[in-house]
Amino acid sequence: MAYDRSNVFARILRGEIPCKKVFEDTHVLAFNDINPQTPTHILVIPKGEYVSSDDFFEKASDAEIAAFMRAVGRIAREHGLAAPGYRILANHGRDAHQEVPHFHVHIFGGRDLGRMIGKAPG
Ligand code: AMP
C-alpha cells in the first residue's frame, strides 16, 4: 500500500491542522487523541512516511525505531502511567480496523483497562 500524503496525521505533521502536542523530537511526534477512549489517550507517530506497523518495522531505520520506542516509554512515564500501568496498541490493516494510514501507537491509561481484547463486532 502506497503512502497517502493526504492522511490526517500527514496533515498534522505539515502543520495544516492542529493537534494537542505532548512530545516532539527529530523522529517522533505525539499528541492527544481527538476522541479519547481513556482518561489518557495519546497517539505516537513517526515523522517518516510509514503506512502502518508492518511498513515501519520493515523499512524504518534503527535510529527511527529506537527513537520511537524510547519516546513511547518516556511519554507514558511522564504522564504518570508507569506505576499504575498502561496499554500500547497499534492497529495494522483491515482486521484491526486501522483508520488512519500513517503508523501510530496508542497509549491508553488513567483507569483500569480491563481484559486485553474485545469481541469482534457482529
Ligand atoms: P486507528 O483506528 O488505530 O487508525 O486510530 C486512529 C485514531 O486517530 C482514532 O483513535 C482517532 O480518534 C484518532 N484521530 C483521528 N483524527 C485525529 C486528529 N485530527 N487528531 C487526533 N486524533 C485523531
Short mmCIF file of all heavy atoms in Angstrom, two decimals, residues 8-9 12 17-20 31-37 41 43 89-93 96-102 104-106 108, ligand 1:
data_model
loop_
_atom_site.label_atom_id
_atom_site.label_comp_id
_atom_site.label_asym_id
_atom_site.label_seq_id
_atom_site.Cartn_x
_atom_site.Cartn_y
_atom_site.Cartn_z
N VAL A 8 -4.73 12.25 7.66
CA VAL A 8 -4.85 13.30 8.68
C VAL A 8 -3.56 13.48 9.48
O VAL A 8 -3.21 14.62 9.85
CB VAL A 8 -6.07 13.02 9.59
CG1 VAL A 8 -5.90 11.78 10.42
CG2 VAL A 8 -6.39 14.21 10.47
N PHE A 9 -2.80 12.42 9.72
CA PHE A 9 -1.57 12.58 10.50
C PHE A 9 -0.48 13.25 9.66
O PHE A 9 0.35 14.00 10.21
CB PHE A 9 -1.11 11.25 11.09
CG PHE A 9 -2.07 10.66 12.11
CD1 PHE A 9 -1.92 9.36 12.54
CD2 PHE A 9 -3.11 11.41 12.63
CE1 PHE A 9 -2.79 8.81 13.47
CE2 PHE A 9 -4.01 10.88 13.56
CZ PHE A 9 -3.85 9.57 13.98
N ILE A 12 -1.27 16.81 10.02
CA ILE A 12 -0.82 17.32 11.32
C ILE A 12 0.69 17.57 11.28
O ILE A 12 1.17 18.62 11.73
CB ILE A 12 -1.21 16.33 12.45
CG1 ILE A 12 -2.72 16.43 12.72
CG2 ILE A 12 -0.40 16.61 13.72
CD1 ILE A 12 -3.25 15.40 13.70
N ILE A 17 -3.25 21.07 10.06
CA ILE A 17 -4.32 21.03 11.06
C ILE A 17 -3.68 20.91 12.44
O ILE A 17 -2.58 20.37 12.57
CB ILE A 17 -5.35 19.89 10.79
CG1 ILE A 17 -4.68 18.54 10.69
CG2 ILE A 17 -6.16 20.15 9.55
CD1 ILE A 17 -5.68 17.41 10.55
N PRO A 18 -4.37 21.44 13.45
CA PRO A 18 -3.75 21.50 14.79
C PRO A 18 -3.80 20.16 15.52
O PRO A 18 -4.57 19.26 15.16
CB PRO A 18 -4.62 22.53 15.51
CG PRO A 18 -5.94 22.46 14.85
CD PRO A 18 -5.69 22.07 13.41
N CYS A 19 -2.96 20.04 16.52
CA CYS A 19 -3.03 18.90 17.43
C CYS A 19 -2.63 19.38 18.81
O CYS A 19 -2.02 20.45 18.94
CB CYS A 19 -2.11 17.77 16.97
SG CYS A 19 -0.36 18.12 17.19
N LYS A 20 -3.00 18.61 19.82
CA LYS A 20 -2.57 18.91 21.19
C LYS A 20 -1.29 18.11 21.45
O LYS A 20 -1.32 16.97 21.91
CB LYS A 20 -3.67 18.57 22.19
CG LYS A 20 -4.87 19.48 22.01
CD LYS A 20 -5.69 19.63 23.26
CE LYS A 20 -6.70 20.75 23.07
NZ LYS A 20 -7.85 20.67 23.95
N PHE A 31 0.64 13.32 20.33
CA PHE A 31 -0.43 14.28 20.62
C PHE A 31 -1.62 13.52 21.17
O PHE A 31 -1.74 12.30 21.02
CB PHE A 31 -0.81 15.06 19.35
CG PHE A 31 -1.02 14.22 18.13
CD1 PHE A 31 -2.26 13.70 17.82
CD2 PHE A 31 0.04 13.93 17.28
CE1 PHE A 31 -2.45 12.92 16.68
CE2 PHE A 31 -0.12 13.14 16.14
CZ PHE A 31 -1.38 12.64 15.84
N ASN A 32 -2.53 14.28 21.80
CA ASN A 32 -3.72 13.67 22.37
C ASN A 32 -4.67 13.21 21.26
O ASN A 32 -4.87 13.93 20.27
CB ASN A 32 -4.45 14.65 23.28
CG ASN A 32 -3.70 14.89 24.58
OD1 ASN A 32 -3.14 13.96 25.15
ND2 ASN A 32 -3.67 16.12 25.03
N ASP A 33 -5.27 12.03 21.47
CA ASP A 33 -6.28 11.56 20.52
C ASP A 33 -7.50 12.47 20.58
O ASP A 33 -7.93 12.90 21.65
CB ASP A 33 -6.69 10.11 20.87
CG ASP A 33 -7.44 9.44 19.73
OD1 ASP A 33 -8.59 9.84 19.46
OD2 ASP A 33 -6.87 8.52 19.10
N ILE A 34 -8.06 12.78 19.43
CA ILE A 34 -9.20 13.71 19.35
C ILE A 34 -10.47 13.10 19.94
O ILE A 34 -11.40 13.83 20.32
CB ILE A 34 -9.42 14.12 17.87
CG1 ILE A 34 -10.13 15.45 17.77
CG2 ILE A 34 -10.15 13.04 17.08
CD1 ILE A 34 -10.12 16.06 16.37
N ASN A 35 -10.51 11.80 20.05
CA ASN A 35 -11.69 11.09 20.56
C ASN A 35 -11.23 10.08 21.63
O ASN A 35 -11.24 8.86 21.40
CB ASN A 35 -12.40 10.39 19.40
CG ASN A 35 -13.66 9.68 19.84
OD1 ASN A 35 -14.27 10.03 20.86
ND2 ASN A 35 -14.05 8.66 19.11
N PRO A 36 -10.81 10.60 22.80
CA PRO A 36 -10.14 9.72 23.77
C PRO A 36 -11.02 8.61 24.30
O PRO A 36 -12.18 8.82 24.64
CB PRO A 36 -9.73 10.69 24.89
CG PRO A 36 -10.60 11.89 24.72
CD PRO A 36 -10.93 11.98 23.26
N GLN A 37 -10.44 7.42 24.39
CA GLN A 37 -11.15 6.24 24.89
C GLN A 37 -10.87 6.01 26.37
O GLN A 37 -11.55 5.21 27.02
CB GLN A 37 -10.72 5.00 24.11
CG GLN A 37 -10.90 5.12 22.60
CD GLN A 37 -12.34 5.34 22.18
OE1 GLN A 37 -13.21 4.59 22.59
NE2 GLN A 37 -12.60 6.38 21.41
N HIS A 41 -5.12 9.26 26.55
CA HIS A 41 -5.12 8.55 25.26
C HIS A 41 -4.26 9.38 24.31
O HIS A 41 -4.70 10.41 23.79
CB HIS A 41 -6.54 8.40 24.73
CG HIS A 41 -6.63 7.60 23.45
ND1 HIS A 41 -7.82 7.27 22.86
CD2 HIS A 41 -5.65 7.08 22.63
CE1 HIS A 41 -7.59 6.58 21.76
NE2 HIS A 41 -6.29 6.46 21.59
N LEU A 43 -1.49 9.51 21.01
CA LEU A 43 -1.03 8.87 19.78
C LEU A 43 0.43 9.26 19.54
O LEU A 43 0.78 10.45 19.63
CB LEU A 43 -1.87 9.34 18.59
CG LEU A 43 -3.35 8.99 18.67
CD1 LEU A 43 -4.13 9.69 17.55
CD2 LEU A 43 -3.58 7.48 18.61
N LEU A 89 -0.98 0.08 21.84
CA LEU A 89 -1.70 -0.67 20.81
C LEU A 89 -1.41 -0.04 19.45
O LEU A 89 -1.42 1.19 19.31
CB LEU A 89 -3.20 -0.61 21.12
CG LEU A 89 -4.16 -1.33 20.18
CD1 LEU A 89 -5.32 -1.89 20.99
CD2 LEU A 89 -4.71 -0.38 19.14
N ALA A 90 -1.17 -0.87 18.46
CA ALA A 90 -1.02 -0.39 17.08
C ALA A 90 -1.92 -1.23 16.19
O ALA A 90 -1.78 -2.46 16.14
CB ALA A 90 0.43 -0.50 16.63
N ASN A 91 -2.84 -0.60 15.51
CA ASN A 91 -3.71 -1.30 14.57
C ASN A 91 -3.05 -1.32 13.19
O ASN A 91 -2.66 -0.27 12.68
CB ASN A 91 -5.06 -0.57 14.48
CG ASN A 91 -5.86 -0.69 15.76
OD1 ASN A 91 -5.95 -1.76 16.35
ND2 ASN A 91 -6.42 0.42 16.22
N HIS A 92 -2.96 -2.51 12.62
CA HIS A 92 -2.43 -2.64 11.26
C HIS A 92 -3.49 -3.30 10.38
O HIS A 92 -3.88 -4.45 10.61
CB HIS A 92 -1.15 -3.49 11.23
CG HIS A 92 -0.82 -3.96 9.85
ND1 HIS A 92 -0.29 -3.13 8.88
CD2 HIS A 92 -1.00 -5.16 9.25
CE1 HIS A 92 -0.16 -3.83 7.74
NE2 HIS A 92 -0.59 -5.05 7.94
N GLY A 93 -3.97 -2.54 9.41
CA GLY A 93 -4.79 -3.15 8.37
C GLY A 93 -6.24 -3.38 8.72
O GLY A 93 -6.76 -2.94 9.75
N ALA A 96 -7.72 -5.21 11.97
CA ALA A 96 -7.52 -4.41 13.19
C ALA A 96 -8.25 -3.08 13.13
O ALA A 96 -8.15 -2.28 14.05
CB ALA A 96 -6.04 -4.18 13.43
N HIS A 97 -8.98 -2.83 12.03
CA HIS A 97 -9.75 -1.59 11.87
C HIS A 97 -8.85 -0.35 11.92
O HIS A 97 -9.22 0.67 12.51
CB HIS A 97 -10.87 -1.49 12.92
CG HIS A 97 -11.94 -2.54 12.77
ND1 HIS A 97 -13.23 -2.26 12.42
CD2 HIS A 97 -11.89 -3.89 12.90
CE1 HIS A 97 -13.94 -3.38 12.36
NE2 HIS A 97 -13.13 -4.39 12.65
N GLN A 98 -7.68 -0.44 11.30
CA GLN A 98 -6.84 0.76 11.22
C GLN A 98 -7.57 1.82 10.40
O GLN A 98 -8.01 1.55 9.28
CB GLN A 98 -5.50 0.43 10.55
CG GLN A 98 -4.58 1.64 10.46
CD GLN A 98 -3.24 1.33 9.79
OE1 GLN A 98 -2.97 0.20 9.37
NE2 GLN A 98 -2.41 2.35 9.67
N GLU A 99 -7.71 3.02 10.98
CA GLU A 99 -8.44 4.10 10.31
C GLU A 99 -7.50 5.07 9.59
O GLU A 99 -7.82 5.56 8.51
CB GLU A 99 -9.26 4.91 11.34
CG GLU A 99 -10.45 4.15 11.89
CD GLU A 99 -11.12 4.91 13.03
OE1 GLU A 99 -10.76 6.09 13.27
OE2 GLU A 99 -11.98 4.31 13.68
N VAL A 100 -6.40 5.39 10.23
CA VAL A 100 -5.50 6.40 9.67
C VAL A 100 -4.26 5.70 9.12
O VAL A 100 -3.54 5.03 9.88
CB VAL A 100 -5.11 7.45 10.73
CG1 VAL A 100 -4.15 8.47 10.14
CG2 VAL A 100 -6.35 8.13 11.31
N PRO A 101 -3.99 5.83 7.82
CA PRO A 101 -2.89 5.09 7.20
C PRO A 101 -1.53 5.77 7.35
O PRO A 101 -0.80 6.00 6.37
CB PRO A 101 -3.32 4.98 5.74
CG PRO A 101 -4.10 6.24 5.49
CD PRO A 101 -4.80 6.54 6.79
N HIS A 102 -1.22 6.14 8.58
CA HIS A 102 0.13 6.58 8.97
C HIS A 102 0.38 5.89 10.30
O HIS A 102 -0.40 6.04 11.24
CB HIS A 102 0.17 8.12 9.14
CG HIS A 102 1.53 8.64 9.52
ND1 HIS A 102 2.30 9.41 8.66
CD2 HIS A 102 2.26 8.50 10.64
CE1 HIS A 102 3.44 9.72 9.26
NE2 HIS A 102 3.43 9.18 10.48
N HIS A 104 0.90 4.55 13.81
CA HIS A 104 0.75 5.21 15.12
C HIS A 104 0.56 4.16 16.19
O HIS A 104 -0.01 3.10 15.95
CB HIS A 104 -0.43 6.19 15.13
CG HIS A 104 -1.72 5.61 14.64
ND1 HIS A 104 -1.99 5.41 13.31
CD2 HIS A 104 -2.81 5.15 15.31
CE1 HIS A 104 -3.19 4.88 13.17
NE2 HIS A 104 -3.72 4.70 14.37
N VAL A 105 1.04 4.50 17.37
CA VAL A 105 0.81 3.70 18.57
C VAL A 105 -0.09 4.49 19.50
O VAL A 105 0.12 5.69 19.72
CB VAL A 105 2.14 3.33 19.25
CG1 VAL A 105 1.93 2.93 20.70
CG2 VAL A 105 2.83 2.21 18.49
N HIS A 106 -1.13 3.83 19.98
CA HIS A 106 -1.99 4.42 21.01
C HIS A 106 -1.39 4.11 22.37
O HIS A 106 -0.98 2.97 22.62
CB HIS A 106 -3.38 3.78 20.99
CG HIS A 106 -4.15 3.94 19.72
ND1 HIS A 106 -5.23 4.78 19.60
CD2 HIS A 106 -4.02 3.34 18.50
CE1 HIS A 106 -5.74 4.69 18.38
NE2 HIS A 106 -5.02 3.81 17.69
N PHE A 108 -2.88 4.06 26.09
CA PHE A 108 -4.10 4.17 26.89
C PHE A 108 -3.74 4.07 28.36
O PHE A 108 -2.96 3.19 28.75
CB PHE A 108 -5.06 3.01 26.58
CG PHE A 108 -5.57 2.96 25.17
CD1 PHE A 108 -5.15 1.96 24.31
CD2 PHE A 108 -6.49 3.90 24.71
CE1 PHE A 108 -5.64 1.89 23.01
CE2 PHE A 108 -6.98 3.83 23.41
CZ PHE A 108 -6.56 2.83 22.56
P1 AMP B 1 -6.71 3.71 14.32
O1 AMP B 1 -8.04 3.02 14.29
O2 AMP B 1 -5.68 2.95 15.12
O3 AMP B 1 -6.23 4.09 12.94
O4 AMP B 1 -6.95 5.03 15.16
C1 AMP B 1 -6.96 6.32 14.63
C2 AMP B 1 -7.11 7.28 15.78
O5 AMP B 1 -6.86 8.59 15.31
C3 AMP B 1 -8.51 7.30 16.41
O6 AMP B 1 -8.40 6.98 17.80
C4 AMP B 1 -8.99 8.74 16.18
O7 AMP B 1 -9.75 9.24 17.25
C5 AMP B 1 -7.67 9.48 16.02
N1 AMP B 1 -7.75 10.73 15.26
C6 AMP B 1 -8.31 10.92 14.04
N2 AMP B 1 -8.15 12.20 13.65
C7 AMP B 1 -7.45 12.82 14.64
C8 AMP B 1 -6.97 14.14 14.83
N3 AMP B 1 -7.18 15.12 13.91
N4 AMP B 1 -6.30 14.44 15.95
C9 AMP B 1 -6.09 13.48 16.88
N5 AMP B 1 -6.51 12.21 16.77
C10 AMP B 1 -7.19 11.89 15.66
#
